[in-house]
Every structure is written in structure tokens, then in C-alpha cells.
Amino acid sequence: MPKKGSKKAKEVEDVPDQQENKLPDYLELQRTRVVCKADAPIHTQGFQYSGAFAAMGVDNSVSVEKFRKDFKIEINRLTEDDIEFDMIGIDASMANAFRRILIAEVPTMAIEKVFMVDNTSVIADEVLSHRLGLIPLDADPRLFDYISENDVPNERNTIVYKLHVSCGKGSQRITVKSGELEWLPEGSQLSTEAPAQAGEKQKTFTSFSQSQKEISDKPLGVKINEITIARLGPGQAIELEAHAVKGVGKVHAKWSPVATAWYRMLPEVVLLEKIEGDDAEKLVKKCPVKVFDIEDLGKGGKRAVVARPRACTLCRQCVMGSTGEKIKLRGVRDHFIFTIESTGAMPPEVLFTEAVKILEEKCERVISELS
């Protein structure tokens, strides 16, 4: 071992850490940005493999420590039905994993079985059943279990609704809305067979041991009351019982908890040269989402500035025409604007939390199988 202060020890101390080294600007742009050109929506060529910049002392590999340091979420908008947030420091594969899980693997409750008692409307039984299945239910799926073919429908795996409407003879046509579905917390009211003896309890399509009012703090109705189910003319009627169960979107779209879940890279709009006068006016009018604005320079002078870069949809209108060479469109490779629109079964922020839990379970399963 060399003594402290020796030449050899000093050389070791002077070796810079890989994380502290920096790439030249043009390579750093290729590593962290994707370019949008006039002839293609997005140009994804770049250097992503871990050893791409090892010769320059820059570590481009993926590590848990780097992920913990760089990853963060910033919420920009949150309402009852949708949320928009930024996911920073994450790869596109991870963002897409969350999107796919939200659409296909986060469970909800939806009507699966419909027992028709009477249907004299113009809508066929199959079409009516399909319409009922697509009505969003205001029921937390975390309170219920999945049901299999051999399970008996009970208060923990089935929600029962009843619909009984009719249009009297000589009356005006009526519209049947989703709000007319009545929740039956005690279970099915339809008999599977007549009682063998007087006073014997009738057998129904469910076997509830307790009321669902003891399970849920709120009524398990529909989320939207104004969805049209059917229209009835004079003398027509609909009477049915609908059973909702727990499922996921990859089995059927009616169980998907989101109207849509999507993401896009954070756009960057860079003016390489000043755009003034009539060209500035044309540029502002050309952009459909008003990314650019006019700056008054005084004495009648005008200059285009980038006012709302986040609104850019990379439509490429600005890079076409005479001003195209003066503008550069880019996307930040590890910064995504994520939007979730809930159907109403659960709040959008809860849906994302559930998606994270599902991804965590998948990772744990893979680790356990590999070990």
C-alpha cells in the first residue's frame, strides 16, 4: 500500500467519479431527448444501452439507486373523474406498463348475468344485457372477492340489481335510465323453484348470509343516473334482475376502470433563430394549440416567443414551411405527462395506486420464481 501523500495515492484520489463526468452537449441531447422532424412524428434514434458512454466515464446503466434519486411525480390536475401528473425519471417501458395495467388489470365490478323476467321492448335480450354490462357501478371492488364457476353467489362476490319499468297503454313513450336500477342489498328476489312445502324458505339465485349494507358504507348504485338503457312505447315493459361480479378489463372491456389512460413525452419547443415580423404572425396562426405568442418589441416590431410549450402535441405544423429551419421540436426521454380518466368506479388517484400495487406484485412473483 502506498503511503499517504505519495504520488500513487494522489493519482487514485484524482480519478473522477463516473457520475460526475459530463458528456458534450450534442451527446447529452441524444441521450436525454428525442427529436421530432418535419417528415416523421418522432425520431427515437439515440444511445440507450448501459455501456454507451463508458469510455467517457459516464454510467448510462439502470440502477435502483439512480431510480430512487431521479424518480418523482408531480400532480398538475386532479378532479373527481380524471388526473394529470408528470412522471419524471422513468423509462417509457415503465410508463407503458402502468398504462396497460390500468386498462386491463385493475379490477372493477360490472354486471355479468341478467335474468330476464319480461322484455317486450324493441331491444333484444342480448343487446339489453350488453348495455347493462357497460353501465359504470359505484361499488368499490376492494370490498369483494372474485367468483369462479363453482362458487355460490353470496354477499362477498355478487351485487344484485333489479329493474322493473313499464309504459301504460295510451301513455307517451318513456325513457328507461340507469338510475332506475334498484340495488338489492339482501340478494336475489327471483325464485329458482317453487317451495316444496308451505312456509318453506324460497330458493333464489344468491345465498346471502348478511345484508350488503353491513359491508359497504354507501349504497352500491350506479355512478351515472342519466345513461339511457331503452325506450318503451305504450304497453311495453322490462323486468329483470342483474348480477354484478368482480373482473378485469383483459377479460371484457366492461371491467376496465378507465375511459382512457395515456401518456406523452414532455415536449420542448426551441427557437434556433429569432422569428420576427410577418413570419411571427404566420407562426402564431399556424399552431392549432397556441404554443407561440407575439412579443411586442415597440415601434411596430413583433417577435414570436414560446409561451405554452407544454401544450404542444408535436403536430409538426411549425416545422413545415419557411420557418421550419428555425424551430426544433424535442421530447424529454424520461419525462412523461400521464392522464387517467376514470369511469367512476374508483377515483383516478386510487386507480393509479392500485396499478402500482399490481406491478409490485408482478415483480415479487418474478423474483420469487427466479430465486
Side-chain angles (χ1 to χ4, degrees):
M1 292 290 292
K3 295 181 181 180
K4 184 176 181 181
S6 67
K7 183 178 180 181
K8 187 69 176 178
K10 186 177 181 181
E11 288 176 357
V12 173
E13 291 173 0
D14 289 343
V15 174
D17 183 44
Q18 282 192 338
Q19 299 295 336
E20 296 177 357
N21 292 346
K22 292 185 178 181
L23 293 172
D25 290 343
Y26 74 97
L27 285 180
E28 183 65 17
L29 280 176
Q30 290 186 15
R31 188 182 74 87
T32 61
R33 301 294 189 270
V34 292
V35 180
C36 181
K37 298 184 177 180
D39 58 347
I42 203 80
H43 183 64
T44 57
Q45 182 179 356
F47 304 98
Q48 287 296 294
Y49 57 95
S50 59
F53 310 106
M56 298 182 179
V58 175
D59 184 9
N60 197 44
S61 62
V62 178
S63 65
V64 176
E65 291 74 18
K66 188 185 296 184
F67 176 79
R68 287 177 176 173
K69 177 183 177 182
D70 297 338
F71 178 67
K72 58 182 178 179
I73 291 180
E74 297 177 355
I75 298 177
N76 302 309
R77 184 183 74 249
L78 176 61
T79 66
E80 183 181 357
D81 298 320
D82 65 86
I83 183 174
E84 181 186 281
F85 56 90
D86 287 15
M87 299 178 71
I88 305 170
I90 197 170
D91 189 72
S93 60
M94 288 286 289
N96 194 49
F98 287 126
R99 182 190 68 85
R100 291 175 64 93
I101 291 173
L102 282 163
I103 293 173
E105 298 186 53
V106 176
T108 59
M109 304 296 291
I111 291 173
E112 170 70 357
K113 291 184 178 180
V114 178
F115 299 91
M116 290 288 181
V117 178
D118 185 21
N119 179 21
T120 56
S121 70
V122 297
I123 301 180
D125 292 354
E126 295 82 359
V127 177
L128 182 58
S129 300
H130 187 265
R131 292 179 68 84
L132 290 169
L134 294 173
I135 295 174
L137 304 178
D138 190 13
D140 191 342
R142 295 172 293 181
L143 301 175
F144 297 91
D145 303 324
Y146 289 100
I147 186 172
S148 65
E149 293 182 1
N150 300 324
D151 289 338
V152 177
N154 56 53
E155 71 279 1
R156 286 293 178 179
N157 59 29
T158 304
I159 306 175
V160 182
Y161 297 93
K162 175 184 178 182
L163 178 64
H164 189 184
V165 289
S166 61
C167 180
K169 293 182 179 181
S171 302
Q172 296 291 326
R173 293 174 62 89
I174 64 171
T175 301
V176 183
K177 299 291 186 72
S178 55
E180 297 182 68
L181 279 169
E182 178 187 355
W183 171 45
L184 303 179
E186 307 299 330
S188 175
Q189 295 179 349
L190 294 180
S191 301
T192 57
E193 57 184 30
Q197 299 178 358
E200 183 180 354
K201 185 179 179 181
Q202 67 175 6
K203 294 182 180 180
T204 64
F205 289 97
T206 59
S207 178
F208 281 21
S209 61
Q210 62 175 339
S211 172
Q212 287 182 331
K213 291 181 179 179
E214 301 176 19
I215 299 175
S216 176
D217 297 332
K218 61 178 183 180
L220 303 177
V222 298
K223 184 64 178 180
I224 304 171
N225 294 324
E226 297 302 316
I227 298 175
T228 299
I229 298 175
R231 290 196 48 120
L232 299 181
Q236 295 179 343
I238 295 177
E239 183 179 0
L240 57 85
E241 192 173 89
H243 292 193
V245 298
K246 188 175 181 178
V248 292
K250 62 183 177 182
V251 176
H252 194 284
K254 65 185 177 184
W255 279 300
S256 182
V258 295
T260 184
W262 61 285
Y263 62 89
R264 61 189 178 100
M265 286 184 181
L266 178 72
E268 281 187 348
V269 184
V270 181
L271 296 180
L272 303 177
E273 301 178 21
K274 294 180 180 180
I275 302 177
E276 300 177 339
D278 294 338
D279 287 342
E281 293 277 5
K282 292 177 182 178
L283 179 63
V284 171
K285 293 178 180 179
K286 187 185 295 186
C287 180
V289 290
K290 307 302 180 185
V291 169
F292 303 97
D293 205 348
I294 293 293
E295 180 184 4
D296 189 1
L297 300 177
K299 297 182 180 180
K302 298 177 181 179
R303 181 172 61 192
V305 295
V306 181
R308 290 168 288 275
R310 188 184 177 89
C312 180
T313 60
L314 301 180
C315 68
R316 297 172 290 147
Q317 289 293 323
C318 59
V319 295
M320 298 178 183
S322 59
T323 59
E325 297 296 326
K326 301 178 181 180
I327 301 171
K328 180 76 75 173
L329 294 182
R330 299 194 293 249
V332 183
R333 195 182 291 272
D334 65 345
H335 189 148
F336 298 94
I337 302 172
F338 211 104
T339 305
I340 302 172
E341 293 181 11
S342 172
T343 59
M346 289 190 289
E349 68 273 18
V350 176
L351 289 177
F352 183 71
T353 304
E354 292 299 307
V356 172
K357 293 178 181 178
I358 292 173
L359 183 59
E360 183 181 3
E361 291 173 2
K362 285 172 173 272
C363 295
E364 291 176 351
R365 196 180 309 125
V366 171
I367 292 173
S368 64
E369 290 177 357
L370 291 176
S371 60

